Structure formats: C-alpha cells, structure tokens
Amino acid sequence: MNSITMQVPDERLLKLQETANNLGISIEELVLIGIEEILDKPNASFKGAMNYVLKKNTEFYKRLA
C-alpha cells in the first residue's frame, strides 16, 4: 500500500474532522471513501449510458442480426 501526503487548508481540515467524527470514522477512512467514490463514478456513468443505448436500440439491433 502507498501513502499520499498533501496540504489541506485549516478550514477544510476542520470540515473533514467534523464529518469524520459525525460518521464515526477516521479522516483517512473518509478521504479514502471519497476517492473510491470518484474513481467508481465514471465506470457507473458509462454503464448507465451503455444500458440506455442498448435498451433504446434493442429493436434496431434485432433487425440488424
């Protein structure tokens, strides 16, 4: 596993601490959850778009087959 060091403005750090405390998790866990959500969104968006196109064009694809 790797680590990342970054500078965070004081007001953002306070918000991170408050949010983590409210959720009962560490700041590190909160940040990791945020990163995972960002990394998963493009994949979810693509799958949604793909499903939409396939459903929309189902009859067209049947005629082509």
Side-chain angles (χ1 to χ4, degrees):
M1 184 178 287
N2 293 305
S3 63
I4 298 174
T5 302
M6 57 186 273
Q7 302 221 353
V8 179
D10 291 340
E11 60 274 359
R12 287 295 198 196
L13 182 60
L14 287 174
K15 285 188 176 189
L16 282 170
Q17 287 174 328
E18 289 174 5
T19 303
N21 287 340
N22 290 338
L23 295 171
I25 59 176
S26 69
I27 293 175
E28 291 83 0
E29 289 174 304
L30 178 62
V31 171
L32 185 56
I33 290 168
I35 291 169
E36 288 172 350
E37 185 174 324
I38 289 168
L39 293 175
D40 288 343
K41 276 188 179 181
N43 192 25
S45 296
F46 172 77
K47 285 182 181 177
M50 182 182 69
N51 287 334
Y52 170 77
V53 169
L54 289 174
K55 278 185 179 181
K56 181 180 177 193
N57 296 311
T58 299
E59 190 59 39
F60 174 72
Y61 295 138
K62 285 180 183 177
R63 282 187 259 149
L64 285 176

